[in-house]
């Protein structure tokens, strides 16, 4: 008797599910605009973190003198 074949279907992540719903509800242009906006938010957060870190390093260097 042979064993049944094993199917290796990946379970979609929550993000994949949200993207699927998004694609059903929005037109392509809106999706692109939303993704671009989110990318900008992430980039702004990264820059703010870098500025904060640079300021902290400069302040530490100034107090050592």
């Amino acid at each position: 008797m042979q064993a049944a074949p094993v199917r290796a279907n990946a379970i979609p992540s929550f993000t994949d599910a949200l993207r699927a719903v998004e694609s059903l509800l929005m037109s392509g242009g809106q999706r692109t605009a939303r993704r671009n906006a989110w990318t900008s938010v992430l980039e702004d957060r990264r820059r703010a973190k870098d500025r904060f870190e640079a300021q902290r390093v400069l302040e530490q260097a100034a107090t050592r003198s």
Side-chain angles (χ1 to χ4, degrees):
M1 179 180 217
Q2 287 186 342
V6 177
R7 291 186 179 151
N9 291 341
I11 297 173
S13 69
F14 184 70
T15 303
D16 292 337
L18 283 178
R19 284 198 178 132
V21 170
E22 179 187 53
S23 69
L24 291 173
L25 297 177
M26 293 185 179
S27 70
Q30 287 176 324
R31 269 196 314 274
T32 301
R34 177 177 233 166
R35 285 200 186 112
N36 289 344
W38 183 243
T39 300
S40 294
V41 167
L42 295 177
E43 185 64 22
D44 288 346
R45 288 178 182 175
R46 187 194 61 77
R47 279 193 218 111
K49 182 181 171 187
D50 289 347
R51 276 194 309 273
F52 178 79
E53 182 64 22
Q55 183 178 357
R56 188 180 65 80
V57 168
L58 288 172
E59 288 172 356
Q60 284 180 348
T63 58
R64 289 183 192 162
S65 301

